[in-house]
Amino acid sequence: MSTVRTNTFKKSIMHVGEMASGAKLTVPVYSFKSGKNNAPSVYVQANMHGAEVQGNAVIFQLLELLKSADIQADITFVPYANPVACNHKNGEYTLGRFDPITGVNWNRMYHFDEAVIAPFAEQYLHANEADICADFKKLLLNEIEEKLDDHIWGLTTGQRIAYQLQRLAHQADLVLDLHTGPISSKHLYCPEYAQESASFFDIEHTILIPNGFDGAMDEATFCPWWSLQQAFKGLGRNFVMGEGAFAKESFTVELGSQEQIDLEVAKEDATSILSYLQHKGVIVSADKSLQTYLPKEMTRYACYLKDYKALYSPMGGMVDYLAEFGKPLSAGEPLVRILRMDNYGVSEGANEEGEQDHNSEPLHYVSLDHTVLPILHFASASVNQGTELYKVFSKYFEL
Amino acid sequence: MSTVRTNTFKKSIMHVGEMASGAKLTVPVYSFKSGKNNAPSVYVQANMHGAEVQGNAVIFQLLELLKSADIQADITFVPYANPVACNHKNGEYTLGRFDPITGVNWNRMYHFDEAVIAPFAEQYLHANEADICADFKKLLLNEIEEKLDDHIWGLTTGQRIAYQLQRLAHQADLVLDLHTGPISSKHLYCPEYAQESASFFDIEHTILIPNGFDGAMDEATFCPWWSLQQAFKGLGRNFVMGEGAFAKESFTVELGSQEQIDLEVAKEDATSILSYLQHKGVIVSADKSLQTYLPKEMTRYACYLKDYKALYSPMGGMVDYLAEFGKPLSAGEPLVRILRMDNYGVSEGANEEGEQDHNSEPLHYVSLDHTVLPILHFASASVNQGTELYKVFSKYFEL
Amino acid sequence: MSTVRTNTFKKSIMHVGEMASGAKLTVPVYSFKSGKNNAPSVYVQANMHGAEVQGNAVIFQLLELLKSADIQADITFVPYANPVACNHKNGEYTLGRFDPITGVNWNRMYHFDEAVIAPFAEQYLHANEADICADFKKLLLNEIEEKLDDHIWGLTTGQRIAYQLQRLAHQADLVLDLHTGPISSKHLYCPEYAQESASFFDIEHTILIPNGFDGAMDEATFCPWWSLQQAFKGLGRNFVMGEGAFAKESFTVELGSQEQIDLEVAKEDATSILSYLQHKGVIVSADKSLQTYLPKEMTRYACYLKDYKALYSPMGGMVDYLAEFGKPLSAGEPLVRILRMDNYGVSEGANEEGEQDHNSEPLHYVSLDHTVLPILHFASASVNQGTELYKVFSKYFEL
Amino acid sequence: MSTVRTNTFKKSIMHVGEMASGAKLTVPVYSFKSGKNNAPSVYVQANMHGAEVQGNAVIFQLLELLKSADIQADITFVPYANPVACNHKNGEYTLGRFDPITGVNWNRMYHFDEAVIAPFAEQYLHANEADICADFKKLLLNEIEEKLDDHIWGLTTGQRIAYQLQRLAHQADLVLDLHTGPISSKHLYCPEYAQESASFFDIEHTILIPNGFDGAMDEATFCPWWSLQQAFKGLGRNFVMGEGAFAKESFTVELGSQEQIDLEVAKEDATSILSYLQHKGVIVSADKSLQTYLPKEMTRYACYLKDYKALYSPMGGMVDYLAEFGKPLSAGEPLVRILRMDNYGVSEGANEEGEQDHNSEPLHYVSLDHTVLPILHFASASVNQGTELYKVFSKYFEL
């Protein structure tokens, strides 16, 4: 007979900065210490970008569902990861993709110094796997601690936040950074080597990313390990990424559209994440009373990062977004219809500058010359020439 | 046998301001001169608030549909009425409710000076109706011209735009100002005396507004006439609002949600407006080849402005908006569910300041003590304490 | 022999709201209880507008100077009065004049309901002065409490902050709201009846304001009393404003330019305020060891609010501000020189639209037709047509 | 006897984009064709960052001064280079360092593809210098044309502007990009190889930058040539940077503080630029009637880019900036004094969270451990923890 589990996540408060008034910027951290070491440890954060709030609801549902789970590893949850972004309004919306002072994307400020890889690989060429794993993790954490300890020139606001989150993330084996698109279908950023894991999420679209560091949380946590594995390989010692000491995986989970909270959908997404965690052994359901989390059956599509393309508007105007997410759009089919009322009735003659403008129609359609899979589109109908209209899988394949 | 009509709207460009670089702020004006005087003249503008773009698409569809209509009066269309607001981005969204420099709502800068009413009424107490109509219109236009001619202290950016639009609007008998809510059902602001006209729009919800001037376009165009009619009444001469010299009506048409263009829905809204204009005789369909525009059958609800209430958030948090628009929501039923992840697991003990907080639950429901009809809600899930959550008909009745 | 005084101000924390993340908005309150009742009590706040920070430094210096003063009344200081505005950045600057969501000026949300005046005056027509004073204060506080207790529709973010500040202010007899202009000389908003007090501040320019309530803190605290005095007068009972029960004064003190902290200048401003407070008997210096605060000798100019005029830019462009603050500028002398590089070399022929533009010179001068006293100018060289360039005393006189 | 010259710069209008309303983004281009080829050609632009307007005034003064100069080469001036940034207000200030939609710095979007260098060097290893110069310029222009011709995925708003400016810049030998700091002394970014030229500007502080491309205009125009020279060197052929085919120089000229126009100071800066151009032979003054432009005598200091350091605020607060620009500041001397009113009176006991905070003083001083030369500071007194306070020459030497 099973007893009711009531796993308790300990809440602590992390200070990540201060505002001009002296107000402290704090982030709640929920952590569960399993006392076991049977499975990879987990780190999940949400809301690094201010408008991308749904991940907070997913963490809520994860906490609720995990109350009665059999947890085999340490788990840490950080909702509201970026209190500056999260609370920054301009008009009704949340201006949260970048530091409002500097314009720097909040998710491009994590740290990875490629220079540490080669020396470590050489030094540990003949070390055992456990030591490699432990000491490399220690090295990564030391790097972050040193950054946080710089008392001379200091850190930027975003670095101070990012490094403190990264310090938590480096302690885990599996890292999930919960984001959303602007108006978007669900999709997953997954390192190329972890492609198999993508099938355990209830997400139809996966972007496979290479070992290039561009400052994001997922890259900051898997690139060091991947780079290390490659350095060892160059020295003649082969490890398999995703296994043993290198059983590290990081994902950016794009939960749909920004500026929205939906607790029902959040429960589905929590279930999807638990399906991945159960696959990894983080939760087990040997006990019949416990829920089993299995991935849904669906056709999953993948696309290499280089083929995940943004389409920029060829003109200013007001956009009727026509292409549906996740449905292949044939060559020549319009993605958008752009309204240009200022051109109404002008095409028949000259425009106000006395020149004939080639694009002077009130409606303008934009299509591509090959089939694509639309994933997300811009959040507003009003676009400038050069505003990103859609992001699409330009080439893709079944996962 | 009917011939195909191809009414042509003449396009002109109105200069409404200049930016710092010297760039001219221009607004396209589409006007049709019927050469007849059989019906009230019409003025329709859109996009005074930057994010409220759907009206531009409605004007597009009106222009398309009117190509083949039998038009009995002058009609003027002004899309993109406010080029500053329309092009002002902050992040992905359009910050367009207020002047970004001053914070003043763009739709609170029109002009009406109550002081002109009494003297005019006294002077024209015994005048014939045609003179009253013509001379009062002239007076209103002169007022605007004087404002626009102030070469000493000048006008604010918003006044210069508003007054130029108002100069066009004062020349018409029927004025439609096309707006949208944030995330919203369709609804109509209608002067109390024009209540009957509301039934000719395919809009379920009407807010009946009294004769109080608060700076908006609709008020700026009907309040002078209503005030004049009341002044005459005070002097013992009775006119009926909406008839004869006083056949003036102005509406703010709220077309749904902001930041969206949908040309199909715009066609429906154009048809709805044409139903109203056909009712007023602006277009006629004696000719069988022409389309007849009739209002849809639907239950229409009305609410007095004083009963159209905003609900402000009792707390900061992330909001799952639960109440559907247009469906009566019973007392006690939640409008919203507010997520407060920082409270998760805290309610059992003290919070970080060592005090027990009464609202320290991760989910908080907000309801009202009587039945309401939800009309619109805030555009973002993230709200501060005191952010407007919903606007509702607090008391309402069938129209 | 005098002992060293070390007056201690008690610090408390006032909760004025919550952000989306649940972060509490707090305001520090420093209060001194004299235990005496020999002089009017004092309330001083700063930084209601986000960029207007110098008042915080002035409060710092007041606290330092008052450590060793002989204080005869209760004093309350509130720096950082508006934590939303104070911490809201857009680019490098602080967007703090209005709520970034709604555009409403933070200093237009205080409360005063004219409707309470007449009934109170009638009821207390024959009451003694002490009762009038005590009961009217109670009435004002009750009004605020009721507002803060609205648990049905709630308050806006700004109202919740404003009302809590106003609750503190209503308890004092003398209220100072510390602001700054954009780029500005020091100036003082003073109720007309308190004109004599203006001479005790070291501020050359005073704007005399009438008894009209427009939502600002100074008005919200003196208008009720002035209105009551006038109501009594209408009923045949005469009180003198500024004396006895009506010894209430409120000022908005404009300390210079925004976005700046200067602790040395702040000390001068603190001294100036102490000169006013010593005049009112709030501090005394009978004891020879104590500092005496006397106003500096200077020519002080005053201007009625109706003559305090804004000059709006007649064109877009980039502005070289020429007129010095506080020095009379003769008719015809330029306030600004506006650069319009896009016009360079154009005046000789037609502009790009093929029309000859009257203003097509690269440099444009703006002057007025009578002598004015410039007080402040816009914070940026880049202006749109209609941006406020300068505020000036259009008519003025020696105080 | 000399005749009065009246050189005429031809004005043309360059279309660089469109806004949502269809409004065209245009940039005025002033060009002078000398018909001679005696000296290097010149490109000068201003106002790529919206708030950095003083360069427009400098171009105005250059145009005025050059009317009567003896010009030996083609010169192009582009004021208002970025019409989006230039016209984008948030509150009173101009939010112009980055695209308000994406956050990307407008001066990080120019193009340089390192990959073209090696093949060109190999192909032209034995070519004559004139061909190298002409064909490499052609290659750079072709690269830009191809980018501008991408009709499939399109360009971002900023790229479309940047590439069109770069197309003009690549046609010149000498490129000056006029910027300003936030609140700043004048300083110059100069390629290391062009160090000698820095002495011809009346600017005391020069930052010497290496051959690394980070997206800025100056780099985008000199890095290709420097890289090519180094590639040739690697192949055994030596050219001297700054001479012959490689007589290319690019500077970012920082004219002082942003948000300001001062036409008098602009004249001094124009004179300083003409001193550099006269040194390069672009203008000559053989004719006695013409003005001779010589650099002022002053001690000039230089600093390598790696030693040009930003100091980030160790805490949130309100900053009294103490360090003067251009004066060596000794180790231990404070750069800033940070006011933290919320800490007033707290240091003696515990803070509100019940913990003793180490930094809980109302005034906090920040200094460095070695002598530095302060160059600029942040534009606002209000800073978050991590906001850039100052930029300083950490190591420097006389030029």
Side-chain angles (χ1 to χ4, degrees), chain B residues 126-161:
Chain B
H126 306 294
N128 70 49
E129 207 164 335
D131 286 353
I132 289 172
C133 185
D135 290 2
F136 190 63
K137 183 193 280 193
K138 204 176 296 170
L139 181 151
L140 295 176
L141 285 166
N142 282 346
E143 286 265 305
I144 297 296
E145 292 299 344
E146 270 173 39
K147 286 278 175 188
L148 284 166
D149 279 353
D150 178 358
H151 291 312
I152 301 172
W153 300 106
L155 297 175
T156 70
T157 306
Q159 285 169 338
R160 189 177 300 271
I161 297 171

CSV table of all heavy atoms in Angstrom, one decimal, chain B residues 126-161:
chain,number,residue,atom,x,y,z
B,126,HIS,N,-34.3,83.1,-32.6
B,126,HIS,CA,-35.4,83.1,-33.6
B,126,HIS,C,-35.0,82.9,-35.0
B,126,HIS,O,-35.7,83.1,-36.0
B,126,HIS,CB,-36.1,84.5,-33.5
B,126,HIS,CG,-36.5,84.8,-32.0
B,126,HIS,ND1,-37.4,84.1,-31.4
B,126,HIS,CD2,-36.0,85.7,-31.1
B,126,HIS,CE1,-37.6,84.5,-30.1
B,126,HIS,NE2,-36.7,85.5,-30.0
B,127,ALA,N,-33.8,82.4,-35.2
B,127,ALA,CA,-33.3,82.1,-36.5
B,127,ALA,C,-33.9,80.9,-37.1
B,127,ALA,O,-34.5,80.1,-36.4
B,127,ALA,CB,-31.8,82.0,-36.5
B,128,ASN,N,-33.9,80.8,-38.4
B,128,ASN,CA,-34.4,79.5,-39.0
B,128,ASN,C,-33.4,78.4,-38.9
B,128,ASN,O,-32.2,78.6,-38.7
B,128,ASN,CB,-34.9,79.7,-40.5
B,128,ASN,CG,-33.7,79.9,-41.4
B,128,ASN,OD1,-32.7,79.2,-41.4
B,128,ASN,ND2,-33.8,81.0,-42.2
B,129,GLU,N,-33.9,77.2,-39.0
B,129,GLU,CA,-33.1,76.0,-38.7
B,129,GLU,C,-31.9,75.9,-39.6
B,129,GLU,O,-30.8,75.5,-39.2
B,129,GLU,CB,-34.0,74.8,-38.8
B,129,GLU,CG,-33.5,73.6,-37.9
B,129,GLU,CD,-34.5,72.6,-37.7
B,129,GLU,OE1,-35.8,72.9,-37.8
B,129,GLU,OE2,-34.1,71.4,-37.4
B,130,ALA,N,-32.1,76.2,-40.9
B,130,ALA,CA,-30.9,76.1,-41.8
B,130,ALA,C,-29.8,77.1,-41.4
B,130,ALA,O,-28.6,76.7,-41.5
B,130,ALA,CB,-31.4,76.4,-43.2
B,131,ASP,N,-30.1,78.3,-41.0
B,131,ASP,CA,-29.1,79.2,-40.6
B,131,ASP,C,-28.4,78.8,-39.3
B,131,ASP,O,-27.2,78.9,-39.2
B,131,ASP,CB,-29.7,80.6,-40.4
B,131,ASP,CG,-30.0,81.3,-41.7
B,131,ASP,OD1,-29.7,80.7,-42.8
B,131,ASP,OD2,-30.7,82.4,-41.7
B,132,ILE,N,-29.2,78.3,-38.4
B,132,ILE,CA,-28.6,77.7,-37.2
B,132,ILE,C,-27.6,76.7,-37.5
B,132,ILE,O,-26.4,76.7,-37.0
B,132,ILE,CB,-29.7,77.1,-36.2
B,132,ILE,CG1,-30.5,78.3,-35.7
B,132,ILE,CG2,-29.1,76.3,-35.1
B,132,ILE,CD1,-31.8,77.8,-34.9
B,133,CYS,N,-28.0,75.8,-38.4
B,133,CYS,CA,-27.1,74.6,-38.7
B,133,CYS,C,-25.9,75.2,-39.4
B,133,CYS,O,-24.7,74.8,-39.0
B,133,CYS,CB,-27.9,73.7,-39.7
B,133,CYS,SG,-27.0,72.2,-40.1
B,134,ALA,N,-26.0,76.0,-40.4
B,134,ALA,CA,-24.9,76.5,-41.2
B,134,ALA,C,-24.0,77.4,-40.3
B,134,ALA,O,-22.7,77.2,-40.3
B,134,ALA,CB,-25.4,77.3,-42.4
B,135,ASP,N,-24.6,78.3,-39.5
B,135,ASP,CA,-23.7,79.2,-38.8
B,135,ASP,C,-23.1,78.6,-37.6
B,135,ASP,O,-21.9,79.0,-37.2
B,135,ASP,CB,-24.5,80.5,-38.4
B,135,ASP,CG,-24.9,81.3,-39.6
B,135,ASP,OD1,-24.6,80.9,-40.7
B,135,ASP,OD2,-25.6,82.3,-39.4
B,136,PHE,N,-23.7,77.6,-37.0
B,136,PHE,CA,-23.1,77.0,-35.9
B,136,PHE,C,-21.9,76.1,-36.3
B,136,PHE,O,-20.8,76.1,-35.7
B,136,PHE,CB,-24.1,76.1,-35.1
B,136,PHE,CG,-23.5,75.6,-33.8
B,136,PHE,CD1,-23.2,76.5,-32.8
B,136,PHE,CD2,-23.4,74.3,-33.5
B,136,PHE,CE1,-22.7,76.1,-31.5
B,136,PHE,CE2,-22.9,73.8,-32.3
B,136,PHE,CZ,-22.5,74.7,-31.3
B,137,LYS,N,-22.1,75.5,-37.5
B,137,LYS,CA,-21.0,74.7,-38.1
B,137,LYS,C,-19.8,75.7,-38.4
B,137,LYS,O,-18.7,75.4,-38.1
B,137,LYS,CB,-21.5,74.0,-39.4
B,137,LYS,CG,-20.4,73.2,-40.0
B,137,LYS,CD,-20.7,72.7,-41.4
B,137,LYS,CE,-21.6,71.5,-41.4
B,137,LYS,NZ,-21.7,70.9,-42.8
B,138,LYS,N,-20.2,76.8,-38.9
B,138,LYS,CA,-19.1,77.8,-39.2
B,138,LYS,C,-18.4,78.2,-37.9
B,138,LYS,O,-17.2,78.3,-37.9
B,138,LYS,CB,-19.8,79.0,-39.9
B,138,LYS,CG,-18.8,79.8,-40.8
B,138,LYS,CD,-19.5,81.0,-41.5
B,138,LYS,CE,-20.6,80.5,-42.5
B,138,LYS,NZ,-21.4,81.6,-43.0
B,139,LEU,N,-19.2,78.5,-36.9
B,139,LEU,CA,-18.6,78.8,-35.6
B,139,LEU,C,-17.6,77.8,-35.1
B,139,LEU,O,-16.5,78.1,-34.7
B,139,LEU,CB,-19.7,79.1,-34.6
B,139,LEU,CG,-19.3,79.5,-33.2
B,139,LEU,CD1,-20.4,80.4,-32.6
B,139,LEU,CD2,-19.0,78.4,-32.3
B,140,LEU,N,-18.0,76.5,-35.2
B,140,LEU,CA,-17.2,75.4,-34.7
B,140,LEU,C,-15.9,75.4,-35.5
B,140,LEU,O,-14.8,75.2,-35.0
B,140,LEU,CB,-17.9,74.1,-34.8
B,140,LEU,CG,-19.1,73.9,-33.9
B,140,LEU,CD1,-19.8,72.6,-34.1
B,140,LEU,CD2,-18.7,74.0,-32.4
B,141,LEU,N,-16.0,75.6,-36.9
B,141,LEU,CA,-14.8,75.5,-37.7
B,141,LEU,C,-13.9,76.7,-37.4
B,141,LEU,O,-12.7,76.6,-37.4
B,141,LEU,CB,-15.3,75.5,-39.2
B,141,LEU,CG,-15.8,74.1,-39.6
B,141,LEU,CD1,-16.5,74.2,-41.0
B,141,LEU,CD2,-14.6,73.1,-39.7
B,142,ASN,N,-14.5,77.9,-37.2
B,142,ASN,CA,-13.7,79.1,-36.9
B,142,ASN,C,-12.9,78.9,-35.6
B,142,ASN,O,-11.8,79.3,-35.5
B,142,ASN,CB,-14.6,80.3,-36.7
B,142,ASN,CG,-15.0,80.8,-38.1
B,142,ASN,OD1,-14.5,80.5,-39.1
B,142,ASN,ND2,-16.0,81.7,-38.1
B,143,GLU,N,-13.6,78.3,-34.6
B,143,GLU,CA,-12.9,78.0,-33.4
B,143,GLU,C,-11.6,77.2,-33.6
B,143,GLU,O,-10.5,77.4,-33.1
B,143,GLU,CB,-13.8,77.1,-32.5
B,143,GLU,CG,-14.9,77.9,-31.8
B,143,GLU,CD,-14.5,78.4,-30.5
B,143,GLU,OE1,-14.1,77.6,-29.6
B,143,GLU,OE2,-14.6,79.6,-30.2
B,144,ILE,N,-11.8,76.2,-34.5
B,144,ILE,CA,-10.6,75.3,-34.8
B,144,ILE,C,-9.6,76.1,-35.6
B,144,ILE,O,-8.4,76.0,-35.3
B,144,ILE,CB,-11.1,74.1,-35.6
B,144,ILE,CG1,-12.0,73.2,-34.8
B,144,ILE,CG2,-9.9,73.2,-36.1
B,144,ILE,CD1,-11.4,72.6,-33.5
B,145,GLU,N,-10.0,76.8,-36.5
B,145,GLU,CA,-9.0,77.6,-37.3
B,145,GLU,C,-8.2,78.6,-36.5
B,145,GLU,O,-7.0,78.7,-36.6
B,145,GLU,CB,-9.8,78.4,-38.4
B,145,GLU,CG,-10.4,77.6,-39.5
B,145,GLU,CD,-9.4,76.8,-40.3
B,145,GLU,OE1,-8.2,77.0,-40.3
B,145,GLU,OE2,-9.9,75.9,-41.0
B,146,GLU,N,-8.9,79.2,-35.5
B,146,GLU,CA,-8.2,80.1,-34.6
B,146,GLU,C,-7.2,79.4,-33.8
B,146,GLU,O,-6.0,79.9,-33.6
B,146,GLU,CB,-9.2,80.8,-33.7
B,146,GLU,CG,-9.7,82.1,-34.2
B,146,GLU,CD,-10.8,82.6,-33.3
B,146,GLU,OE1,-10.7,82.6,-32.1
B,146,GLU,OE2,-11.8,83.1,-33.9
B,147,LYS,N,-7.5,78.2,-33.4
B,147,LYS,CA,-6.6,77.4,-32.6
B,147,LYS,C,-5.3,77.1,-33.5
B,147,LYS,O,-4.2,77.2,-33.1
B,147,LYS,CB,-7.2,76.1,-32.1
B,147,LYS,CG,-8.2,76.3,-31.0
B,147,LYS,CD,-7.4,76.3,-29.7
B,147,LYS,CE,-8.4,76.6,-28.5
B,147,LYS,NZ,-7.6,76.9,-27.3
B,148,LEU,N,-5.6,76.6,-34.7
B,148,LEU,CA,-4.5,76.2,-35.6
B,148,LEU,C,-3.7,77.4,-36.0
B,148,LEU,O,-2.6,77.3,-36.5
B,148,LEU,CB,-5.1,75.5,-36.8
B,148,LEU,CG,-5.5,74.1,-36.6
B,148,LEU,CD1,-6.4,73.5,-37.7
B,148,LEU,CD2,-4.3,73.2,-36.4
B,149,ASP,N,-4.3,78.6,-35.9
B,149,ASP,CA,-3.5,79.8,-36.3
B,149,ASP,C,-2.7,80.5,-35.2
B,149,ASP,O,-2.1,81.5,-35.4
B,149,ASP,CB,-4.5,80.9,-36.9
B,149,ASP,CG,-4.9,80.6,-38.3
B,149,ASP,OD1,-4.3,79.6,-38.9
B,149,ASP,OD2,-5.8,81.3,-38.8
B,150,ASP,N,-2.7,79.9,-34.0
B,150,ASP,CA,-2.0,80.5,-32.9
B,150,ASP,C,-0.5,80.5,-33.2
B,150,ASP,O,0.1,79.5,-33.1
B,150,ASP,CB,-2.3,79.8,-31.6
B,150,ASP,CG,-1.5,80.4,-30.4
B,150,ASP,OD1,-0.7,81.3,-30.7
B,150,ASP,OD2,-1.7,79.9,-29.3
B,151,HIS,N,0.0,81.7,-33.6
B,151,HIS,CA,1.4,81.7,-33.9
B,151,HIS,C,2.3,82.3,-32.8
B,151,HIS,O,3.4,82.6,-33.0
B,151,HIS,CB,1.7,82.5,-35.2
B,151,HIS,CG,1.1,81.8,-36.4
B,151,HIS,ND1,1.4,80.5,-36.6
B,151,HIS,CD2,0.3,82.2,-37.4
B,151,HIS,CE1,0.7,80.1,-37.7
B,151,HIS,NE2,0.1,81.1,-38.2
B,152,ILE,N,1.7,82.4,-31.6
B,152,ILE,CA,2.5,83.0,-30.5
B,152,ILE,C,3.0,81.8,-29.6
B,152,ILE,O,4.2,81.5,-29.7
B,152,ILE,CB,1.6,84.0,-29.7
B,152,ILE,CG1,1.2,85.1,-30.6
B,152,ILE,CG2,2.5,84.5,-28.5
B,152,ILE,CD1,0.2,86.1,-30.0
B,153,TRP,N,2.1,81.2,-28.9
B,153,TRP,CA,2.6,80.2,-28.0
B,153,TRP,C,2.6,78.8,-28.6
B,153,TRP,O,3.2,77.9,-28.2
B,153,TRP,CB,1.7,80.2,-26.7
B,153,TRP,CG,1.8,81.5,-26.0
B,153,TRP,CD1,0.8,82.4,-25.9
B,153,TRP,CD2,2.9,82.0,-25.2
B,153,TRP,NE1,1.3,83.5,-25.2
B,153,TRP,CE2,2.6,83.3,-24.7
B,153,TRP,CE3,4.2,81.5,-24.9
B,153,TRP,CZ2,3.4,84.1,-24.0
B,153,TRP,CZ3,5.1,82.3,-24.2
B,153,TRP,CH2,4.7,83.5,-23.7
B,154,GLY,N,1.8,78.6,-29.7
B,154,GLY,CA,1.8,77.4,-30.4
B,154,GLY,C,0.9,76.3,-29.9
B,154,GLY,O,0.2,76.6,-28.9
B,155,LEU,N,0.9,75.2,-30.5
B,155,LEU,CA,0.1,74.1,-30.1
B,155,LEU,C,0.9,72.9,-29.7
B,155,LEU,O,2.1,72.8,-30.2
B,155,LEU,CB,-0.8,73.6,-31.3
B,155,LEU,CG,-1.8,74.6,-31.8
B,155,LEU,CD1,-2.5,74.0,-33.0
B,155,LEU,CD2,-2.9,74.9,-30.7
B,156,THR,N,0.4,72.0,-28.9
B,156,THR,CA,1.1,70.8,-28.7
B,156,THR,C,1.1,69.9,-29.9
B,156,THR,O,0.2,70.1,-30.8
B,156,THR,CB,0.6,70.0,-27.5
B,156,THR,OG1,-0.7,69.5,-27.8
B,156,THR,CG2,0.4,70.8,-26.2
B,157,THR,N,1.9,68.9,-30.0
B,157,THR,CA,2.0,68.0,-31.1
B,157,THR,C,0.6,67.3,-31.3
B,157,THR,O,0.1,67.2,-32.4
B,157,THR,CB,3.0,66.9,-30.8
B,157,THR,OG1,4.3,67.5,-30.5
B,157,THR,CG2,3.2,66.0,-32.0
B,158,GLY,N,0.0,66.9,-30.2
B,158,GLY,CA,-1.3,66.2,-30.3
B,158,GLY,C,-2.4,67.1,-30.7
B,158,GLY,O,-3.3,66.7,-31.4
B,159,GLN,N,-2.4,68.3,-30.2
B,159,GLN,CA,-3.4,69.3,-30.6
B,159,GLN,C,-3.4,69.6,-32.1
B,159,GLN,O,-4.4,69.6,-32.7
B,159,GLN,CB,-3.3,70.6,-29.8
B,159,GLN,CG,-3.7,70.5,-28.3
B,159,GLN,CD,-3.2,71.7,-27.5
B,159,GLN,OE1,-2.3,72.4,-27.9
B,159,GLN,NE2,-3.8,71.9,-26.4
B,160,ARG,N,-2.2,69.7,-32.6
B,160,ARG,CA,-2.1,70.1,-34.0
B,160,ARG,C,-2.7,68.9,-34.9
B,160,ARG,O,-3.3,69.2,-35.9
B,160,ARG,CB,-0.6,70.3,-34.4
B,160,ARG,CG,-0.4,70.8,-35.8
B,160,ARG,CD,1.1,71.1,-36.0
B,160,ARG,NE,1.6,72.0,-35.1
B,160,ARG,CZ,1.6,73.4,-35.3
B,160,ARG,NH1,1.1,73.8,-36.4
B,160,ARG,NH2,2.1,74.2,-34.4
B,161,ILE,N,-2.4,67.7,-34.4
B,161,ILE,CA,-3.0,66.6,-35.2
B,161,ILE,C,-4.5,66.6,-35.0
B,161,ILE,O,-5.3,66.5,-35.9
B,161,ILE,CB,-2.4,65.2,-34.7
B,161,ILE,CG1,-0.9,65.2,-35.0
B,161,ILE,CG2,-3.1,64.1,-35.3
B,161,ILE,CD1,-0.1,64.1,-34.4
